Amino acid sequence: DGGITQSPKYLFRKEGQNVTLSCEQNLNHDAMYWYRQDPGQGLRLIYYSQIVNDFQKGDIAEGYSVSREKKESFPLTVTSAQKNPTAFYLCASSPPDARSYEQYFGPGTRLTVT
Amino acid sequence: QKEVEQNSGPLSVPEGAIASLNCTYSDRVSQSFFWYRQYSGKSPELIMSIYSNGDKEDGRFTAQLNKASQYVSLLIRDSQPSDSATYLCAVSPLFYNNNDMRFGAGTRLTVKP
């Protein structure tokens, strides 16, 4: 089955620890995105990547880092510098063809930092 | 002013009725418009996209776009309890490589049996 997978589904960490969220897709999509969703707010873009070995900051990149070493993988690291890391993190990807304006989401990772 | 505004709801409709969800946006150059459905605790699922003024129908769903009024809506006909979810409106100034998509906070819809 083709799709976007994120792991783990739930993640708990202590304050001050870095944590890496996984995002993998086997859809042959070029573009991948990381969003954060907080209650009562719209999704906010953290980072995006159009091609391998290239990525750009979104609106709220501070305290986060990413890599794009393979087309299929776009992991997100939440560092200790992120002041409010508890949130629902969503990875998305876009197809390479004329539908590249459409974004499809993975199941998400709910991160809780205490 | 928020870039994409939606009534947070909850919007409650009886089963079989038409549910009408509305969204306004502030960026006049917006070109691409999307509706996502998000069940509680789940990720958003793309259900409709629309790019030109007018109506676009897909099954029980109809998206309506009015660029002059900067308004996009989603109608759900013959609403079912399974339609109960939060509906997110998303807007982008781009057609390709959509790294500037803006999301509303969503409208929570409840369909009562």
Side-chain angles (χ1 to χ4, degrees):
Chain A
D1 284 335
I4 305 171
T5 58
Q6 291 185 245
S7 60
K9 186 174 181 180
Y10 298 96
L11 190 54
F12 298 88
R13 280 292 183 272
K14 294 289 188 184
E15 198 173 306
Q17 293 179 332
N18 291 357
V19 60
T20 297
L21 282 57
S22 168
C23 178
E24 304 276 333
Q25 54 95 3
N26 60 4
L27 301 168
N28 197 35
H29 287 181
D30 289 315
M32 297 185 74
Y33 311 83
W34 274 105
Y35 290 92
R36 164 184 177 137
Q37 187 175 36
D38 295 281
Q41 297 190 39
L43 277 66
R44 292 182 290 167
L45 182 64
I46 305 172
Y47 269 98
Y48 64 95
S49 169
Q50 306 289 10
I51 57 172
V52 174
N53 292 323
D54 185 61
F55 48 83
Q56 304 295 329
K57 293 181 180 180
D59 297 324
I60 55 165
E62 185 175 349
Y64 300 98
S65 65
V66 294
S67 63
R68 186 86 186 274
E69 297 176 2
K70 299 187 299 182
K71 187 175 184 178
E72 301 80 18
S73 178
F74 191 40
L76 173 75
T77 296
V78 184
T79 76
S80 56
Q82 169 48 231
K83 292 184 177 7
N84 297 296
T86 294
F88 189 37
Y89 289 88
L90 292 158
C91 178
S93 67
S94 291
D97 53 23
R99 295 178 301 121
S100 65
Y101 33 80
E102 296 177 348
Q103 293 186 17
Y104 298 89
F105 287 88
T109 292
R110 197 166 297 276
L111 173 64
T112 302
V113 177
T114 58
Chain B
Q1 182 187 8
K2 291 183 181 177
E3 294 176 273
V4 180
E5 293 211 45
Q6 297 180 253
N7 187 324
S8 62
L11 172 66
S12 183
V13 300
E15 184 174 357
I18 295 176
S20 178
L21 306 164
N22 304 316
C23 173
T24 58
Y25 59 93
S26 59
D27 189 348
R28 286 195 168 275
V29 301
S30 297
Q31 300 287 348
S32 309
F33 306 86
F34 308 90
W35 283 100
Y36 286 83
R37 178 176 62 200
Q38 186 173 25
Y39 292 114
S40 181
K42 303 295 186 183
S43 62
E45 173 192 9
L46 180 64
I47 56 171
M48 288 288 284
S49 56
I50 186 167
Y51 309 103
S52 53
N53 281 329
D55 295 359
K56 179 181 177 183
E57 187 173 319
D58 184 0
R60 295 187 296 112
F61 298 102
T62 299
Q64 299 175 316
L65 175 60
N66 184 325
K67 289 187 179 181
S69 300
Q70 295 177 240
Y71 177 95
V72 58
S73 65
L74 179 71
L75 300 178
I76 306 175
R77 290 182 300 282
D78 187 24
S79 296
Q80 302 296 310
S82 59
D83 294 325
S84 298
T86 296
Y87 290 81
L88 307 179
C89 172
V91 173
S92 174
L94 304 173
F95 281 119
Y96 300 105
N97 295 328
N98 229 339
N99 50 291
D100 200 23
M101 190 178 288
R102 303 293 168 174
F103 288 82
T107 297
R108 187 155 57 92
L109 171 68
T110 300
V111 181
K112 297 191 174 181

